[in-house]
Amino acid sequence: MKKLAAGNWKMNGTKASLAEVAALLSAHGQPACEMLLCPPATLIAAMAEAAQGTALKVGAQDCHPKPQGAHTGDISAAILKDAGASHVILGHSERRTDHGETDDLVRAKAEAVVDAGLVAIVCIGETEAERDAGKTLAVIGTQLDGSIPMGATAANLVVAYEPVWAIGTGRTPTLSEIAEVHSFLRGRLRGLIGDEAETVRILYGGSVKPSNAVEIFAVPHVDGALVGGASLKAVDFGAIVEALSAA
Ligand code: PEP
Protein backbone atom coordinates (compact mmCIF):
# COMPACT_ATOMS: atom_id res chain seq x y z
CA MET A 1 0.00 0.00 0.00
CA LYS A 2 1.29 3.50 -0.85
CA LYS A 3 1.48 5.78 2.16
CA LEU A 4 -0.33 9.11 2.06
CA ALA A 5 0.85 12.59 3.03
CA ALA A 6 -2.28 14.73 3.13
CA GLY A 7 -2.29 18.46 3.85
CA ASN A 8 -5.32 20.30 5.21
CA TRP A 9 -5.07 24.03 4.54
CA LYS A 10 -8.28 24.70 6.54
CA MET A 11 -9.48 28.32 6.07
CA ASN A 12 -6.11 29.49 4.77
CA GLY A 13 -4.97 30.28 1.26
CA THR A 14 -5.60 32.65 -1.63
CA LYS A 15 -4.49 32.50 -5.24
CA ALA A 16 -1.07 33.76 -4.13
CA SER A 17 -0.66 30.57 -2.05
CA LEU A 18 -0.42 28.53 -5.24
CA ALA A 19 3.23 29.61 -5.28
CA GLU A 20 3.70 27.07 -2.46
CA VAL A 21 2.31 24.36 -4.72
CA ALA A 22 4.77 25.28 -7.46
CA ALA A 23 7.62 25.20 -4.93
CA LEU A 24 6.47 21.83 -3.58
CA LEU A 25 6.28 20.30 -7.03
CA SER A 26 9.64 21.61 -8.13
CA ALA A 27 11.41 20.17 -5.07
CA HIS A 28 9.31 17.04 -4.43
CA GLY A 29 7.78 16.17 -7.79
CA GLN A 30 8.24 12.40 -7.61
CA PRO A 31 7.69 11.21 -4.03
CA ALA A 32 7.48 7.53 -3.20
CA CYS A 33 4.30 8.24 -1.21
CA GLU A 34 1.00 9.71 -2.33
CA MET A 35 0.79 13.47 -1.87
CA LEU A 36 -2.48 15.37 -1.40
CA LEU A 37 -3.38 18.96 -0.57
CA CYS A 38 -6.85 20.02 0.51
CA PRO A 39 -7.17 23.80 0.08
CA PRO A 40 -10.29 25.91 0.64
CA ALA A 41 -12.94 25.04 -1.96
CA THR A 42 -12.27 28.27 -3.86
CA LEU A 43 -8.76 27.05 -4.75
CA ILE A 44 -9.53 23.47 -5.74
CA ALA A 45 -9.92 24.11 -9.47
CA ALA A 46 -6.81 26.29 -9.75
CA MET A 47 -4.73 23.89 -7.65
CA ALA A 48 -5.96 20.91 -9.65
CA GLU A 49 -4.92 22.69 -12.83
CA ALA A 50 -1.46 23.44 -11.39
CA ALA A 51 -1.17 19.79 -10.31
CA GLN A 52 -2.22 18.30 -13.63
CA GLY A 53 0.30 15.70 -14.83
CA THR A 54 2.14 15.74 -11.48
CA ALA A 55 2.07 13.44 -8.44
CA LEU A 56 0.02 15.92 -6.43
CA LYS A 57 -3.64 15.17 -5.82
CA VAL A 58 -6.15 17.78 -4.69
CA GLY A 59 -8.93 17.30 -2.17
CA ALA A 60 -11.69 19.12 -0.33
CA GLN A 61 -12.32 19.63 3.38
CA ASP A 62 -16.05 18.85 3.56
CA CYS A 63 -19.11 18.27 1.39
CA HIS A 64 -22.90 18.02 1.61
CA PRO A 65 -24.43 14.52 1.80
CA LYS A 66 -26.79 15.17 -1.14
CA PRO A 67 -25.62 15.21 -4.76
CA GLN A 68 -27.37 18.51 -5.63
CA GLY A 69 -30.32 20.67 -4.66
CA ALA A 70 -31.53 23.65 -2.66
CA HIS A 71 -28.71 23.89 -0.08
CA THR A 72 -27.39 27.43 -0.19
CA GLY A 73 -23.69 27.70 0.51
CA ASP A 74 -23.05 23.96 0.41
CA ILE A 75 -20.99 21.95 -2.09
CA SER A 76 -21.63 18.37 -3.15
CA ALA A 77 -19.09 15.64 -3.81
CA ALA A 78 -20.03 15.67 -7.50
CA ILE A 79 -19.31 19.40 -7.71
CA LEU A 80 -15.97 18.92 -5.95
CA LYS A 81 -15.11 16.14 -8.38
CA ASP A 82 -15.98 18.42 -11.28
CA ALA A 83 -13.58 21.03 -9.85
CA GLY A 84 -10.77 18.46 -9.78
CA ALA A 85 -10.91 16.96 -6.30
CA SER A 86 -10.08 13.29 -5.77
CA HIS A 87 -10.47 13.13 -1.97
CA VAL A 88 -12.71 14.75 0.66
CA ILE A 89 -11.83 15.14 4.36
CA LEU A 90 -14.89 14.38 6.50
CA GLY A 91 -15.66 14.65 10.18
CA HIS A 92 -12.64 16.77 11.04
CA SER A 93 -12.90 17.66 14.74
CA GLU A 94 -13.22 21.33 13.82
CA ARG A 95 -16.36 20.48 11.82
CA ARG A 96 -17.65 18.18 14.54
CA THR A 97 -17.20 21.05 17.04
CA ASP A 98 -18.00 24.14 14.94
CA HIS A 99 -20.93 22.60 13.06
CA GLY A 100 -22.14 19.91 15.43
CA GLU A 101 -21.41 17.13 12.95
CA THR A 102 -22.42 13.70 14.25
CA ASP A 103 -21.14 10.28 13.23
CA ASP A 104 -24.38 9.73 11.28
CA LEU A 105 -23.86 12.89 9.26
CA VAL A 106 -20.19 12.10 8.67
CA ARG A 107 -21.16 8.65 7.40
CA ALA A 108 -23.82 10.13 5.09
CA LYS A 109 -21.23 12.51 3.68
CA ALA A 110 -18.69 9.69 3.32
CA GLU A 111 -21.24 7.64 1.40
CA ALA A 112 -21.90 10.60 -0.90
CA VAL A 113 -18.16 10.88 -1.53
CA VAL A 114 -17.84 7.19 -2.32
CA ASP A 115 -20.93 7.33 -4.56
CA ALA A 116 -19.29 10.19 -6.49
CA GLY A 117 -16.21 8.02 -7.05
CA LEU A 118 -13.96 9.97 -4.67
CA VAL A 119 -11.95 8.90 -1.63
CA ALA A 120 -13.34 9.69 1.84
CA ILE A 121 -10.81 10.65 4.53
CA VAL A 122 -12.78 10.05 7.72
CA CYS A 123 -11.38 11.78 10.82
CA ILE A 124 -11.83 10.52 14.37
CA GLY A 125 -10.19 11.41 17.65
CA GLU A 126 -10.67 11.86 21.36
CA THR A 127 -10.68 15.08 23.38
CA GLU A 128 -8.18 15.61 26.16
CA ALA A 129 -10.88 15.00 28.79
CA GLU A 130 -11.78 11.70 27.13
CA ARG A 131 -8.13 10.61 27.08
CA ASP A 132 -7.66 11.63 30.73
CA ALA A 133 -10.74 9.59 31.63
CA GLY A 134 -9.26 6.51 29.92
CA LYS A 135 -11.97 6.54 27.25
CA THR A 136 -9.80 6.99 24.14
CA LEU A 137 -10.34 3.57 22.58
CA ALA A 138 -14.05 3.50 23.41
CA VAL A 139 -14.56 6.95 21.87
CA ILE A 140 -12.65 6.37 18.66
CA GLY A 141 -14.09 2.86 18.27
CA THR A 142 -17.61 4.29 18.38
CA GLN A 143 -16.66 7.09 15.98
CA LEU A 144 -15.13 4.62 13.55
CA ASP A 145 -18.13 2.28 13.65
CA GLY A 146 -20.51 5.18 13.09
CA SER A 147 -18.63 7.26 10.54
CA ILE A 148 -17.24 4.97 7.85
CA PRO A 149 -19.30 4.48 4.70
CA MET A 150 -21.16 1.33 3.66
CA GLY A 151 -19.07 -0.53 1.12
CA ALA A 152 -15.79 0.89 2.44
CA THR A 153 -12.68 -0.46 0.74
CA ALA A 154 -9.00 0.38 0.79
CA ALA A 155 -9.57 2.27 -2.45
CA ASN A 156 -12.36 4.56 -1.25
CA LEU A 157 -11.61 5.04 2.47
CA VAL A 158 -8.75 6.54 4.44
CA VAL A 159 -9.04 6.85 8.23
CA ALA A 160 -7.32 9.73 10.04
CA TYR A 161 -6.71 9.41 13.78
CA GLU A 162 -6.47 12.95 15.10
CA PRO A 163 -6.51 13.46 18.86
CA VAL A 164 -8.40 16.74 19.25
CA TRP A 165 -5.94 18.02 21.85
CA ALA A 166 -3.01 17.53 19.48
CA ILE A 167 -4.44 19.55 16.59
CA GLY A 168 -2.68 22.87 16.18
CA THR A 169 -1.25 22.73 19.70
CA GLY A 170 2.29 21.48 19.09
CA ARG A 171 1.53 18.57 21.44
CA THR A 172 1.48 14.98 20.28
CA PRO A 173 0.71 11.65 21.94
CA THR A 174 3.70 9.49 22.81
CA LEU A 175 4.77 7.03 20.15
CA SER A 176 3.39 4.17 22.21
CA GLU A 177 0.03 5.95 22.55
CA ILE A 178 -0.06 6.38 18.75
CA ALA A 179 0.90 2.72 18.30
CA GLU A 180 -1.85 1.58 20.68
CA VAL A 181 -4.55 3.53 18.85
CA HIS A 182 -3.44 2.61 15.32
CA SER A 183 -3.22 -1.07 16.13
CA PHE A 184 -6.65 -0.89 17.81
CA LEU A 185 -8.08 0.83 14.71
CA ARG A 186 -6.64 -1.83 12.38
CA GLY A 187 -8.34 -4.52 14.44
CA ARG A 188 -11.62 -2.63 14.65
CA LEU A 189 -11.59 -2.08 10.89
CA ARG A 190 -10.97 -5.79 10.39
CA GLY A 191 -14.13 -6.47 12.36
CA LEU A 192 -16.05 -4.05 10.15
CA ILE A 193 -14.75 -4.80 6.64
CA GLY A 194 -12.66 -7.97 6.96
CA ASP A 195 -9.38 -8.48 5.08
CA GLU A 196 -9.83 -5.22 3.18
CA ALA A 197 -8.86 -3.52 6.45
CA GLU A 198 -5.21 -4.54 6.04
CA THR A 199 -4.65 -2.00 3.27
CA VAL A 200 -6.90 0.87 4.38
CA ARG A 201 -4.53 3.75 5.11
CA ILE A 202 -4.69 4.88 8.75
CA LEU A 203 -3.17 8.36 9.01
CA TYR A 204 -1.98 10.07 12.15
CA GLY A 205 -2.83 13.78 12.46
CA GLY A 206 -2.06 16.37 15.11
CA SER A 207 1.01 18.63 15.15
CA VAL A 208 2.99 16.57 12.64
CA LYS A 209 6.03 18.59 11.56
CA PRO A 210 9.41 17.91 9.96
CA SER A 211 11.02 17.44 13.38
CA ASN A 212 8.71 14.62 14.54
CA ALA A 213 7.67 13.04 11.22
CA VAL A 214 10.41 10.40 11.02
CA GLU A 215 9.64 8.92 14.44
CA ILE A 216 5.88 9.01 13.94
CA PHE A 217 6.13 7.31 10.53
CA ALA A 218 8.13 4.47 12.09
CA VAL A 219 5.16 3.53 14.31
CA PRO A 220 3.40 0.33 13.15
CA HIS A 221 0.09 0.92 11.33
CA VAL A 222 0.84 4.59 10.71
CA ASP A 223 0.31 4.76 6.95
CA GLY A 224 0.78 8.48 6.55
CA ALA A 225 -0.25 11.81 8.02
CA LEU A 226 -2.95 14.42 7.90
CA VAL A 227 -1.09 17.68 8.34
CA GLY A 228 -2.59 21.08 9.12
CA GLY A 229 -0.26 23.99 9.88
CA ALA A 230 2.88 22.39 8.45
CA SER A 231 1.17 21.79 5.09
CA LEU A 232 0.95 25.51 4.35
CA LYS A 233 4.64 25.87 3.59
CA ALA A 234 6.20 23.85 0.79
CA VAL A 235 9.45 23.49 2.67
CA ASP A 236 7.76 21.91 5.72
CA PHE A 237 5.25 19.77 3.85
CA GLY A 238 8.02 18.69 1.46
CA ALA A 239 10.14 17.52 4.39
CA ILE A 240 7.19 15.50 5.73
CA VAL A 241 6.61 13.99 2.28
CA GLU A 242 10.28 12.98 2.13
CA ALA A 243 10.15 11.47 5.63
CA LEU A 244 7.12 9.40 4.64
CA SER A 245 8.69 8.37 1.34
CA ALA A 246 11.69 7.04 3.26
CA ALA A 247 9.63 5.25 5.95
C1 PEP B 1 -5.46 19.00 11.19
O1 PEP B 1 -6.10 20.03 11.22
O2 PEP B 1 -5.95 18.01 10.62
C2 PEP B 1 -4.18 18.98 11.86
C3 PEP B 1 -3.64 17.81 12.10
O3 PEP B 1 -3.62 20.19 12.20
P1 PEP B 1 -2.13 20.44 12.76
O4 PEP B 1 -1.17 19.62 11.90
O5 PEP B 1 -1.91 21.91 12.57
O6 PEP B 1 -2.10 20.01 14.16
Side-chain angles (χ1 to χ4, degrees):
M1 143 227 315
K2 253 199 177 179
K3 300 192 174 180
L4 172 64
N8 172 15
W9 278 15
K10 312 192 185 190
M11 200 169 68
N12 299 290
T14 59
K15 281 181 273 182
S17 317
L18 294 174
E20 293 298 324
V21 176
L24 179 71
L25 289 172
S26 77
H28 309 282
Q30 313 245 291
C33 65
E34 250 183 68
M35 183 166 66
L36 169 75
L37 283 176
C38 302
T42 49
L43 285 180
I44 289 173
M47 192 183 283
E49 200 176 315
Q52 213 162 29
T54 76
L56 179 67
K57 294 180 176 164
V58 180
Q61 302 172 16
D62 179 46
C63 72
H64 193 277
K66 296 260 170 62
Q68 74 278 311
H71 301 287
T72 303
D74 281 313
I75 305 184
S76 73
I79 292 172
L80 294 168
K81 183 181 186 181
D82 183 59
S86 54
H87 295 62
V88 184
I89 298 171
L90 298 164
H92 190 284
S93 65
E94 287 153 14
R95 292 212 57 91
R96 289 179 186 263
T97 304
D98 295 353
H99 301 275
E101 293 198 2
T102 61
D103 290 340
D104 280 349
L105 180 60
V106 174
R107 178 170 45 204
K109 291 180 175 195
E111 287 174 354
V113 165
V114 169
D115 286 349
L118 304 181
V119 180
I121 302 179
V122 172
C123 302
I124 55 177
E126 82 286 1
T127 63
E128 187 160 32
E130 287 163 346
R131 176 162 284 274
D132 289 347
K135 293 184 182 156
T136 297
L137 300 184
V139 167
I140 60 172
T142 302
Q143 288 179 335
L144 186 77
D145 296 352
S147 305
I148 68 167
M150 288 261 295
T153 68
N156 63 28
L157 174 69
V158 172
V159 173
Y161 167 55
E162 299 206 304
V164 178
W165 52 275
I167 295 177
T169 60
R171 297 165 56 209
T172 56
T174 65
L175 299 178
S176 64
E177 285 168 341
I178 296 175
E180 179 191 33
V181 169
H182 279 244
S183 136
F184 168 79
L185 288 173
R186 182 77 66 204
R188 190 87 168 205
L189 269 177
R190 216 176 279 128
L192 293 167
I193 60 170
D195 289 348
E196 191 71 20
E198 304 308 328
T199 47
V200 170
R201 269 86 56 89
I202 305 177
L203 311 184
Y204 168 76
S207 297
V208 175
K209 44 195 180 227
S211 59
N212 61 18
V214 171
E215 61 182 23
I216 290 173
F217 295 152
V219 173
H221 301 292
V222 172
D223 307 313
L226 182 53
V227 183
S231 71
L232 293 169
K233 289 277 162 235
V235 63
D236 291 337
F237 192 58
I240 291 167
V241 165
E242 292 304 329
L244 187 58
S245 295

